[in-house]
Amino acid sequence: MIDRDEKLKPSEVRAAKERRLTMQHLQAIEGNPLDAEDIAMFEMFERERWTHERRLAYIIEKAKRAAIPHAAE
């Protein structure tokens, strides 16, 4: 179970942001840039200081919800 009260330390948030910015740059070079919605999601993770486990659970749940309409096709 994910502890929603657990937060990353400020230094951990800075490190995560640096990794995200590097990843965004590499994605853009590869011709697959993040869209505004994805960038906003990662910025929210940083602002709220979510743990990596909570971030992963959120992304997985979001992907599952997005896949449901396609399953009926």
Side-chain angles (χ1 to χ4, degrees):
M1 177 172 241
I2 295 172
D3 181 357
R4 297 197 181 280
D5 293 328
E6 187 177 352
K7 304 280 185 194
L8 292 179
K9 297 175 190 170
S11 61
E12 294 171 317
V13 173
R14 282 191 300 276
K17 182 176 182 177
E18 287 179 27
R19 286 191 304 272
R20 174 182 58 86
L21 293 174
T22 299
M23 176 270 303
Q24 277 183 242
H25 179 71
L26 294 172
Q27 289 292 109
I29 289 171
E30 292 292 326
N32 187 27
L34 295 181
D35 62 20
E37 183 180 346
D38 290 334
I39 293 169
M41 177 184 66
F42 285 108
E43 288 174 342
M44 184 263 304
F45 293 161
E46 294 158 3
R47 184 177 58 252
E48 300 295 325
R49 297 175 39 210
W50 282 14
T51 62
H52 300 294
E53 295 79 10
R54 186 171 179 194
R55 295 171 188 218
L56 180 59
Y58 178 89
I59 292 168
I60 290 170
E61 183 59 34
K62 186 175 177 179
K64 286 179 183 177
R65 284 192 313 266
I68 290 173
H70 301 294
E73 295 177 7

